[in-house]
Amino acid sequence: MSVHSIARILRLYLRSELLVGEIRLKVQLRKLSLLFFAALIVLMALVFLNIAAYQLMLASWGPIKAPFILAIANILLAIILVVIAAFSRPGPDLAAARELRDLTSATLESELKSNPATAALGSMAGINGLNGWDSARFLVPIISSIIRSLRRRKAGS
């Protein structure tokens, strides 16, 4: 396995991580905006309920039906927005990005296990073997620094 293949796998892994983060951020932003609009509508409903209660105290059942109906409609709209925000899911994009991330991490791990030079590098870094995902997390900064130093040497020559 060459350094270029490790670098390619690492770039693919980082892109998949960024994709997962971007999708999660979009979902959270959508939820937050819907909850913000629901809060605004509830505030409007509260204002109309206050106006309606005031009108109810002044006169009995005259021009107060409209504010009550409007307040109830605002509350129902806010409830609908909260339900939509609560059940908002990221969709199939997140599953595909997670699958790509898992595939690249498994490939990277198998490549690192198969190459004795990187295994020696990992044991020098204090990693107890190359078992599990944690070892790849430790090796990523080491490998990226090796790649950077090789690129600098190549550019300097």
Side-chain angles (χ1 to χ4, degrees), residues 91-149:
D93 295 342
L94 183 61
R98 282 184 176 162
E99 184 178 331
L100 179 63
R101 180 192 62 191
D102 294 342
L103 179 66
T104 55
S105 67
T107 305
L108 179 63
E109 216 171 311
S110 67
E111 291 286 335
L112 291 174
K113 284 181 182 178
S114 67
N115 192 349
T118 55
L121 178 65
S123 63
M124 287 187 323
I127 302 168
N128 296 330
L130 287 173
N131 298 329
W133 167 239
D134 293 332
S135 60
R137 286 187 182 177
F138 287 119
L139 286 176
V140 168
I142 295 169
I143 293 171
S144 62
S145 65
I146 291 171
I147 292 170
R148 271 188 253 126
S149 68

Side-chain angles (χ1 to χ4, degrees), residues 34-50 70-83:
L34 287 173
L35 288 174
F36 176 73
F37 285 125
L40 284 177
I41 291 171
V42 166
L43 287 175
M44 287 175 23
L46 182 62
V47 167
F48 282 115
L49 281 175
N50 287 332
L70 191 54
I72 290 171
N74 284 330
I75 289 173
L76 288 177
L77 185 59
I79 289 171
I80 289 170
L81 287 175
V82 167
V83 168

Side-chain angles (χ1 to χ4, degrees), residues 1 8-9 22 27 30 41 57 63 67 82 98 105 110 127:
M1 175 178 73
R8 188 190 60 201
I9 293 170
E22 183 180 333
V27 168
R30 186 178 336 133
I41 291 171
M57 286 185 240
V82 167
R98 282 184 176 162
S105 67
S110 67
I127 302 168

